[in-house]
């Protein structure tokens, strides 16, 4: 019959309904292992008394958790922790690597640690809110939406919600019809190159930069050419030289808010020059604002798109995956009307439309403030992790490295002393059970090395960050 | 408080659990309007007695319907029909058309009827099973799957389930690793052209044929050239002539099971010749088996892919959308290993991966037999509708038209007498409130007219089919 003597504490978060708080407390007890599969929960009356809340609150929390699969109700016997819960252990990102055996590996923990390239911590995913929104999306009313085709630009409620969100957060004066919802920012990158460039035309990209964007542009038939990045972001003088040398460049791809991978914010002067150059030369300016919400110092900088004029050929791209979970493929594009219409045509030819249940679920999450609340909560946690990583690096790695603490974004760009080869260091770290990406993997023009690491700190908790820096120190080449 | 005196009948379908049958009965009562929003349901004890079933069965059915949003439970007051149910009226497919006013329109019913191009009846969608599968996919265990990226080929359980299904239903000897899950067959068409053809290379397509396939191929950068169809499907002699004249043709797109739009099945002799030609000339053969499950006369014909040799460059494409709901974007491709790998690379560049909750929900539906059961049930209904449409046409339209009853698929190809212009007829019908597509819209080479209609019969019930044929008769040009 399972045990019944479990103490459940109610941890209150005044921004949420009481029953949601209680449900969260019970999930934490299950995750900690204090409530085990098959355990019986206290009766609703008894728990209501001991917590001093109304019995309906307990009922609602139990119902919520039954719907989510954490608990099961057995008629006349009570409520139990489900027996078929998944492994609740820590997961790592990315495809499984071939295991390597080495003396170092055997000393490392069984689960290799990974500095992601800037992924959020999926353990913070607002599962309760997400599951509720999903369930409503596949209710009877939700399923009715599946009986016909949808709008290739995305479900209207999601476009409205995103438009309001982007207007409030990024100063973009747009409405629902100015948005194209895509399957992650990845699809938006593919669409802009496919819709705007003829085969063989080129797009200039920041170097070092984001290899998955290069992959999308190339898959769409575009050439990708290197535009150097310096300590202040895209080097505008050298970009102009490139345009003179390479007349086939029709577009430029930039990450001005937190340059990928160096995390630097492009200053006002360079922004204005970039807009002016694009306008004068008729270039398409693709702005990827992938990490906008995670700003730790001062307010987020308004995007280039917020300063663009109506006929500037600017396309602003963002993603919700970074806010919720990588596997929820929702991104968006807004900007120049004709370009957006051509992107929509291409999108329709590729897969007709997006995922109707997911789009409606997300619209609810935004409208009801859950997304914003989650972002604010996560931002505090990530800021703490950034500071902890910076302190650990300073203490452990000393003069082998140098860095500026990033003003925003979920990664730190760690420059490695010239006397040490970052690629060899990364290889040694991998043998020790720590995966990370080094600058050479983020270089388009391999003749200019980038002797550095991009360390995503958001997906590791305090203990993991400390262990990761220790492993990095141990793997340091002599 | 709402009424309580409603008689619920239990209509049994022995292939399903009793509580699912009961839930279905209650939904029907709500859809018919005999149970109205706010009505109170009978108590579980009373209903159990009156139906002669165990009270747990009633409980389970009510719980199921509460989860689906049809019913709401109010503590200590009872169970009620939800007050926020959506409009349960008949929906039509496709984007809304501009309303046209004419004397005929005012006589037509308010809702225009549409002969789809072969869509299933979304009113038959197995909503109960689908909602259950979705809810499990977004349970606590399901959400854990969202914490990392997935396989760009699709969720492994879905690929396994589809492989078993295709082996049993289509004689394809494949396993999970031979499949790429796509967002509808539309994406598979885009990927095969994008991965297999260089910009400017051509793909030959059946003419008349499927315009959305042409759209996908063109969007991927391919040229589309016309290969004539005669009364037995693709004209193989003229196809060979085309290949001699057009050396840029590197692929051919065919719908051999039920040619789109003429519904004819390609015979064994032509199939063997087509495979031989493709082999000899190194052509890629793209087989779209979009309607395989709906075969009314004899057994389905095995696809070309089932006869292909390992090094034949055949790609077999199918869709689950036709079985469930158009807006559930799940299709798949299998075939030549290298082509499939290149398609997977392109897919990853476009949107990384599919929809994890949807893919897992569908795997459950296949594994538990719900999809097969639904297909068998729907097939019987559609066969009846095909026969009713054929009888109505014979009775009402007489010698203005000619047709062969389709052996399979969800549409009938209605040839119009040469003295009548099908395009003008379709236009008059639209003014009268009946939407349908005519052969001219399905022609690539407009110099060869196709004076015919493609009448999708599956999405209209008996009364709608009768009314549609009457409208067609009334709109017939003099």
């Amino acid at each position: 019959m399972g045990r019944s003597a479990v103490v459940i504490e109610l941890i209150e978060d005044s921004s949420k309904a009481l029953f949601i708080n209680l449900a969260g407390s019970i999930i934490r007890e299950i995750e900690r292992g204090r409530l085990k599969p098959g355990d019986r929960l206290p009766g609703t009356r008894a728990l209501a008394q001991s917590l001093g809340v109304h019995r309906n609150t307990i009922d609602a929390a139990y119902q919520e958790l039954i719907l989510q699969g954490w608990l099961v109700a057995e008629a006349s016997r009570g409520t139990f922790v489900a027996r078929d819960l998944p492994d609740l252990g820590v997961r790592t990102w990315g495809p499984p690597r071939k295991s390597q055996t080495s003396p170092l590996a055997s000393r490392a923990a069984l689960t290799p640690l990974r500095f992601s390239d800037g992924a959020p911590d999926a353990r913070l995913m607002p599962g309760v809110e997400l599951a509720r929104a999903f369930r409503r999306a596949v209710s009877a009313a939700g399923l009715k939406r599946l009986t016909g085709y949808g709008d290739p630009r995305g479900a209207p409620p999601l476009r409205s919600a995103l438009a309001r969100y982007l207007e409030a957060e990024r100063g973009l004066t747009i409405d629902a019809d100015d948005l194209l919802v895509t399957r992650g920012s990845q699809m938006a990158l593919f669409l802009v190159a496919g819709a705007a460039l003829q085969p063989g035309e080129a797009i200039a990209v920041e170097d070092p930069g984001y290899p998955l964007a290069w992959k999308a542009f190339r898959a769409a038939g575009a050439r990708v050419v290197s535009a150097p990045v310096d300590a202040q972001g895209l080097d505008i003088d050298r970009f102009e030289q490139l345009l003179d040398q390479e007349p086939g460049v029709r577009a430029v791809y930039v990450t001005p808010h937190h340059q990928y991978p160096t995390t630097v914010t492009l200053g006002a002067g360079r922004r204005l020059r970039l807009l002016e150059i694009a306008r004068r030369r008729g270039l398409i300016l693709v702005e990827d604002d992938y990490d906008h919400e995670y700003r730790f110092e001062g307010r987020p900088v308004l995007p280039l798109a917020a300063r663009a004029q109506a006929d500037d050929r600017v396309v602003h791209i963002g993603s919700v995956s970074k806010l919720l979970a990588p596997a929820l493929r929702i991104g968006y594009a807004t900007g120049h009307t004709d370009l957006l219409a051509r992107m929509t045509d291409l999108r329709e030819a590729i897969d007709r439309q997006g995922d109707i249940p997911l789009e409606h679920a997300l619209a609810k999450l935004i409208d009801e403030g859950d997304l914003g609340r989650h972002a604010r909560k996560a931002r505090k946690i990530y800021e703490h992790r950034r500071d902890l990583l910076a302190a650990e690096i300073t203490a452990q790695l000393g003069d082998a490295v140098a860095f500026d603490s990033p003003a925003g974004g979920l990664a730190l760009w760690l420059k490695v002393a010239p006397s040490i080869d970052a690629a060899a260091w990364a290889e040694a770290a991998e043998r020790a059970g720590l995966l990370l990406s080094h600058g050479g993997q983020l270089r388009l023009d391999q003749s200019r090395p980038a002797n550095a690491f991009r360390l995503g700190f958001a997906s590791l908790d305090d203990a993991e960050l400390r262990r990761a820096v220790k492993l990095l120190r141990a793997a340091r080449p002599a």
Side-chain angles (χ1 to χ4, degrees), chain A residues 140-156:
Chain A
L143 284 175
K144 289 272 166 192
R145 294 189 199 105
L146 299 177
T147 60
Y149 286 110
D151 190 318
R153 297 174 299 171

Side-chain angles (χ1 to χ4, degrees), chain A residues 17 25 30 75 103 111 129 145 185 198 213 217 239 252 292 361 392 452:
Chain A
S25 297
I30 296 173
T111 311
E129 293 84 351
R145 294 189 199 105
S185 57
Q198 297 297 316
F217 300 149
F239 176 56
V252 55
H292 191 93
E392 286 293 311

Side-chain angles (χ1 to χ4, degrees), chain A residues 267-277 279 304 307:
Chain A
R270 290 195 183 197
R271 284 170 182 253
L272 292 173
R273 277 190 67 199
L274 183 59
L275 275 169
E276 185 274 323
I277 291 169
R279 190 174 300 143
L304 288 168
R307 300 175 185 274

Side-chain angles (χ1 to χ4, degrees), chain A residues 4 29 44 112 133 152 155 224 251 258 262 264 314 371 393 404 422 478:
Chain A
S4 183
E29 294 304 302
T44 54
V224 173
H258 308 126
T262 63
V264 67
V314 172
L371 193 74
I393 289 173
D404 294 315

